[in-house]
Amino acid sequence: GLVARHLVTGHGMRHLVLAGRRGMEAPRAKELLSELEELGADVSVVACDVADGDAVGGLVAGIGAEHPLTAVVHAAGVLADATIPALTPGDLDAVLRAKADAVVHLHEATRELDLAGFVLFSSASGVLGSPGQGNYAAANSFLDAFAHDRRAAGLPALSLAWGLWAQTSDMTKDVQDDGTARISRSGLAPITNEQGMRLFDAALGTDHALLVPIRLDPAGLRAHADAGAFPALLRGLAR
């Protein structure tokens, strides 16, 4: 919803297809549709499981030639947290379907089209690691690698490995206060909606396949370094 509003108000997009498994039955879908239409956009909210290749192919084929598809933003995700020894095949399947399967199907359905953008919402968990999220880290690392692969083939692609957002979503509503506090202690501060959309815009103006939009807290970084549990990629940022 946040990204859809921003594409309309910040980028002048006037035709959007919002696809999700629940379609208009998703929470706040009706309110979002009304808001976007009041902003002057022509919006379709469709029920489509993007982990289903046939469904994605039908969705893309059904977009009219009068307003052809010009960009894809994949912002979906599912959590099934557990330590690695406790992960089940179901835990892996649920998370990988929403990320890896979906992006492969979107790629296959659009690779012959002249897209201006193919933007994937990934997670810093795949770059820095995240306790209890081995499946989620793997799924997002796949997105990051897939973006590189598309660009190597001459196709547009950008994977954004986001840090934690301040606003609670359907995915993060069950993250307890102690989980948020643990992430903050690691030196990563929550991203506000305004900051997130500024980072989104800045990323679109680069020529990279992978970027890691996160907020860093220097004091938290130093404390984490003192504790001896510091992600290798951040070691140059704190003494």
Side-chain angles (χ1 to χ4, degrees), residues 164 168 172-185:
L164 179 69
T168 301
T172 62
K173 63 185 178 183
D174 295 326
V175 176
Q176 303 299 316
D177 290 342
D178 58 348
T180 303
R182 174 180 57 78
I183 294 172
S184 297
R185 287 196 301 271

Side-chain angles (χ1 to χ4, degrees), residues 8 14 22 46 83 93-94 96 103 123 132 139-140 179 196 203 210 212 223:
V8 172
R14 286 295 173 264
R22 291 170 289 181
V46 298
T83 59
D93 183 63
L96 289 169
V103 166
S123 167
N140 286 290
L210 168 63
V212 187

Side-chain angles (χ1 to χ4, degrees), residues 21 47-60 97-98 100-106 108-109:
R21 285 169 296 170
C48 176
D49 181 0
V50 289
D52 180 332
D54 291 338
V56 174
L59 174 69
V60 173
R97 275 178 54 83
D101 291 2
V103 166
V104 169
H105 295 322
L106 287 166
E108 291 175 344

Side-chain angles (χ1 to χ4, degrees), residues 11 116-119 147-148 151 155-161 198-213:
H11 292 263
F118 192 89
V119 183
H148 283 285
R151 289 183 70 88
L155 299 171
L158 170 63
S159 187
L160 298 176
R198 288 207 306 268
L199 290 167
F200 178 81
D201 289 345
L204 293 180
T206 71
D207 197 31
H208 295 285
L210 168 63
L211 290 169
V212 187

